[in-house]
Amino acid sequence: MTLISDAPAPTSTERPVKQVHLAAHFPGVNNTTVWRDSNQASQIAFSSFTHFAQNAERGKFDFLFLAEGLRLREHKGRIHDLDVVGRPNTLAVLAGLAAVTSHIGLVGTLSSTFNEPYELARQLASLDHLSGGRAGWNIVTTFDAFHGENFRRGAFLDKADRYTRAEEFVAVARQLWDAWATDAVLADKAAGDFLAEDAIGLVDHHGPQFDVTGFPTLPQSPQGRPVIVQAGDSADGRGFASRTAEVIFSRHAGFEDGQKFYSDVKGRLAAEGRHRDSLKILPAVTFILGDTEAEARERSRETALLQVSPQTAIAFLEQVWGTDLGGYDPDGPLPEIDPVSTDQGVTRGRVRHDSDPAAIARGWRTLAEAEGLSIRDLVIRFAANHTFVGTPVQVAETINRHVQEDASDGFVIVGSTNPTGLDEFVDRVIPELQERGVYRTEYEEGATLRHTLGLPV
Amino acid sequence: MTARFHLGIALDGAGWHPAAWREPDARPGEVFDLAYWVDLVKIAEAGGVDLVTFEDAFGLQSSGFGGVDARRDEVRGRLDALLLATAVAPHVTHIGLVPTITTTHTEPFHVGTATATLDYVSGGWGGWRVQVSGRAHEAAHVGRRSFPALDPAAVVAGTDPAQTALIEGLFGEAADTVEVARRLWDSWEDDAVIRDVPTGRFLDRDKVHYIDFAGDAFTVKGPSITPRPPQGQPVVFALAHQKVPYELATASADIVGITPQDDAHLTRILGELADAEAQVSRTAPEPLRVWSEAVILIEDSPEEARAALARLDAAHGATYTSDTVILADTGANVAAHLLAWHDAGLDGVRLRPARLPADLVRITTDVVPALAAAGVLDRPADAGTLRARLGLGVPENRYASSAAASGDSDLAGSDSAQLDLIGSARS
């Protein structure tokens, strides 16, 4: 991590200083959320969500972000029991949070597969009305039979069609959000006109995925359309994002990698007739602070040991090896045996990135042997490798450098403890960003999420 | 056998009379704003009301059962009731919040987690008014089913097999949805989260259960993603007008709302409810509570109340009719009517204010005190949940501590024993 000067970020006539945008990721269902610590509060009590949201609002975050999982994860055919698990209904808890916050955006992850446009568009419009224009929708395209078992249509969607469906879903939702005329509600008591003439247009959509005919039940919401967020990273996902998304929740947190992703996606916008600023790219990052860099590194190691218990280390390895590794010592070397190839994987209910287990295993073994890493050390390297580790000044400057040099427009900050995981970030990093003139010191009064993010209205 | 009588308020738009929005103190321009609803629910809470319901549907309001009408002179549009109720929840502390949720086109899994979340956000004051959607134009909002045009007269008469089949299908699906929700609510035992450091286990997975529901319209595997809500089983309310819905209510609901037009009608309804009870096996945790419904308009004298109703009807251009009795009278006379229902054995009422906020205010100032003076509103002072407030017990979890009924395999049981041994060996 390079220390740069305390002066405001470099400016020049052709490159104005960019403002940093931040989102707060509620610590949820994953091994990165530490629970082996008596300070951890309930993962489900509304008081936890309230604390998290109000702290993020104190830090003037653009929005808070909730992930979603529509089935409990399974490992080796049974419910995975090593990580925090259990969460509220995404839309409902965001509605509750609308009541205890005033400015921060409320972004929920919601499936375009296991929902229907008429209902979901209505729920998002309701959230936008209830929150005064702060709703956002992170679209996910989970399609598999495992999740399908909880829903009416089961495994109805081919993998190849998941973005087709998502794109058509958004197109229908936009028609529904736009169907009421701008001044549809007159509520004119004297004249007896609640609605204006021709106040509500009929939506009549017929496409490969949806047939939706009818009138929506809500006037245009304060934002007109809730903000669309997207996280997919495949070629299809990037194409979808460049056409449809307004925020990308990306995995490209590294500087060079981030710049490459940033220029790729932003470069696609012109062809879609979109302005570069109409899409914000926010990689997800973790952080560990210390008074000195050495202290931060020490805390990072301590946190990693809490995030990757001996049992979690073995379970993580089993995801790649595809078989029971319960007999291996987490503090010993990696298994000599080769991964078992399985169609399905040993873990179900989470995104799977490992396409070639044998190659991954070989790479890990080589790395572990070269650096003398135990199983647990290796898993920590991959599953608890904190993105930003340093003093508040170092972290703020790193964030600012990524933003000014187009590796991102900001970050989704993932805390490691619930619900206080971002308190220290707000106390110590936010003031540094504000001092550098690259981060808001107040919300604009009455601003919608769209305004706060600097998106076209 | 209880002297307790409970009071619900049905909130909708600017009130139940179609012209209520034109009253001087109505706030029709605010029906899409949270602050409006918070104000109303606070009035009800301060006024001693046990619960409020929020009307909703799977489409735009209409004056008939056919498609959407072109009327511009009535309130049109609604917020999603579950989200509205959940957003109101942090603003109040001791009133039940019961949104209407349609079961016909929605996902039972989402309904189960959403109602559980309302219960968390409200700290145990959540409920759910179950509603079906039989309207053909609402089915077109999803586009995968098509229904025949609904004919309420034929439904009541039971003469048209297509109509009967539609209604039986819709209510069967509603009963299945309630069953799925009840199983999902129970799918986590209360002590499933163990945070056991020695074994590295956050969760005791033997206390989290698949629900394996299979019905005609859907299957749901479970378990819920949401741990068991504070009340265990949030309160299920069903409005019912005839045999098929009576069977849904007597099987699945905690409270049924009935719509007697007069005393003779009430007697007949109670007989039909008893018949339904004999037909079905009840799955709800406690005996069914029977509440009556009434539209309420209150003025200082009966003449003024009738005049106010006439004025509203004139503004509307038609005489207002309802599926239930309309009481336009003094607060004292309304209270007397409700006391007669109490004496007839009913457990409560869900009152539909003709005008909001006016008749809600009058109910709290003129009716509640009269009922209290009559000694029928004797409630637990320290009720911490809606169930407790209504005198409903703390329900047992259907999956709790019965290994045989858990649905898990023997293998799972033996694994668990092994882990417990590891745990105790290390502690």
Side-chain angles (χ1 to χ4, degrees), chain A residues 74 116 122 150 152 189 194, chain B residues 56 106 144 173 210 222:
Chain A
E74 291 184 3
E116 293 293 334
R122 177 170 189 250
N150 280 336
R152 284 177 180 267
K189 293 179 185 180
F194 182 80
Chain B
D56 204 359
T106 53
R144 283 202 309 277
E173 190 177 359
Y210 297 104

Side-chain angles (χ1 to χ4, degrees), chain A residues 195-247:
Chain A
L195 292 179
E197 276 185 64
D198 302 319
I200 312 173
L202 178 71
V203 172
D204 193 16
H205 171 94
H206 301 280
Q209 291 290 332
F210 302 108
D211 292 288
V212 178
T213 304
F215 299 95
T217 78
L218 283 169
Q220 286 182 30
S221 68
Q223 288 189 106
R225 298 165 172 181
V227 172
I228 303 286
V229 183
Q230 201 263 338
D233 199 43
S234 61
D236 281 354
R238 291 186 191 197
F240 173 69
S242 65
R243 287 187 295 277
T244 309
E246 297 171 295
V247 175

Side-chain angles (χ1 to χ4, degrees), chain A residues 35-37 40-46 68-72 74-75 77-89 91-93 95-100 114-116 118-119 122-127 129-130 148-153 165 180 185-198 200 211-219 309 311-312, chain B residues 21-29 31-32 34 56-60 68 71-80 82-84 86-87 90-91 103-110 113-114 117-118 120-121 137 140-145 173 188 193 195-203 205-206 208 210 217-227 412 415 419 426:
Chain A
W35 58 260
R36 295 162 185 80
D37 178 331
Q40 304 316 305
S42 164
Q43 85 285 26
I44 189 68
F46 187 59
E68 181 173 65
L70 296 175
R71 185 155 170 195
L72 301 188
E74 291 184 3
H75 186 72
R78 301 189 56 204
I79 290 166
H80 185 58
D81 59 359
L82 302 178
D83 296 347
V84 172
V85 60
R87 49 178 133 211
N89 175 283
L91 282 160
V93 80
L97 289 174
V100 297
F114 302 116
N115 285 294
E116 293 293 334
Y118 186 87
E119 186 188 17
R122 177 170 189 250
Q123 290 167 324
L124 285 163
S126 295
L127 180 63
H129 280 286
L130 291 167
E149 283 186 319
N150 280 336
F151 297 96
R152 284 177 180 267
R153 300 181 74 192
R165 181 173 166 98
W180 286 47
V185 177
L186 303 175
D188 183 338
K189 293 179 185 180
D193 292 332
F194 182 80
L195 292 179
E197 276 185 64
D198 302 319
I200 312 173
D211 292 288
V212 178
T213 304
F215 299 95
T217 78
L218 283 169
S309 70
Q311 296 87 347
T312 295
Chain B
W21 69 273
R22 300 178 66 181
E23 291 291 288
D25 62 347
R27 295 160 61 183
V31 296
F32 306 108
L34 176 57
D56 204 359
F58 204 78
L60 205 58
V68 170
R71 293 191 79 130
R72 301 194 290 120
D73 62 339
E74 298 178 11
V75 171
R76 288 290 181 267
R78 283 190 185 112
L79 293 161
D80 178 271
L82 179 282
L83 297 180
L84 171 58
T86 313
H91 292 280
T103 58
T104 308
H105 304 295
T106 53
E107 287 287 354
F109 190 82
H110 292 325
T113 62
T117 301
L118 169 61
Y120 275 104
V121 175
H137 71 278
H141 296 160
V142 176
R144 283 202 309 277
R145 294 200 253 185
E173 190 177 359
W188 291 53
V193 172
R195 296 173 188 256
D196 186 50
V197 174
T199 60
R201 292 181 305 151
F202 178 83
L203 186 76
R205 56 188 165 196
D206 292 323
V208 179
Y210 297 104
F218 47 76
T219 62
V220 177
K221 177 78 181 171
S224 182
I225 54 166
T226 309
D415 266 6
L419 283 171
R426 289 188 184 178

